[in-house]
Amino acid sequence: MKKALLALLMLGAAFAVHADQPMSDHGIVDHYCAKANTQRDMDECAAAALKDADRQLNATYQAALKKWAAFPDTTAKLRQAQRSWLAYRDADVAARFALADKERAQGTAGTAYPMAHSLYQAGLEFERVARLCEFLRGDAYGERDTASCADLAAHPAVVPHQP
């Protein structure tokens, strides 16, 4: 029992060493909006957070496709998963802001709406980047690459097809 627990702890420690954890909602605000003083500043920094999240999401996804290009079944499943995740993201954001969207259409929405919308979507996208990074690392296949997700996305190692 002690050996199994020790092995499980070691596996968890190995995972924690290279896992890129997504920023918390507070972390996103602290990172992108620390110097914001006005609502306009907050809207702009939230938009910057979303733009960065979009960029990271696209780069990590494209790197994963490139890495696994020699395995068409894997890349087809990854494309399907990404399309499904995008549909989930859009539905989740729509559900979260359904009342605000209605108020916005009526001209009665609060001024914090653009900021809240952008920060929420950015948070979802940063979470997805972390998941795609684990796929990019090949964790499910026993790889233990400890490079940062940004480095892996910029320079994906291609897995050669083996007959």
Side-chain angles (χ1 to χ4, degrees), residues 18-137:
H18 71 273
D20 283 276
Q21 296 297 318
M23 284 186 274
S24 67
D25 292 340
H26 291 292
I28 294 170
V29 172
D30 290 346
H31 181 77
Y32 291 93
C33 299
K35 296 181 181 181
N37 292 315
T38 66
Q39 187 60 55
R40 182 177 178 167
D41 293 343
M42 290 295 291
D43 291 346
E44 289 173 0
C45 66
L50 181 55
K51 184 176 180 179
D52 195 31
D54 284 339
R55 183 193 54 75
Q56 288 182 34
L57 179 61
N58 290 329
T60 308
Y61 172 66
Q62 292 301 322
L65 287 174
K66 182 177 179 180
K67 177 177 181 164
W68 296 99
F71 298 88
D73 290 345
T74 301
T75 55
K77 294 290 186 183
L78 177 58
R79 281 187 182 93
Q80 180 183 10
Q82 188 67 1
R83 282 192 297 269
S84 295
W85 182 84
L86 290 169
Y88 158 77
R89 178 204 62 194
D90 293 346
D92 190 25
V93 170
R96 174 66 59 118
F97 292 97
L99 182 57
D101 286 339
K102 182 178 179 182
E103 290 173 353
R104 193 167 190 219
Q106 297 170 344
T108 60
T111 58
Y113 171 86
M115 175 202 64
H117 190 279
S118 293
L119 289 174
Y120 184 74
Q121 184 171 332
L124 291 175
E125 291 184 14
F126 283 129
E127 289 172 9
R128 179 65 177 158
V129 168
R131 293 290 183 180
L132 283 171
C133 190
E134 293 306 315
F135 187 84
L136 182 57
R137 283 194 170 96

Side-chain angles (χ1 to χ4, degrees), residues 20 63 133 136-137 145-157:
D20 283 276
C133 190
L136 182 57
R137 283 194 170 96
D145 198 326
T146 58
S148 73
C149 190
D151 288 343
L152 291 171
H155 309 289

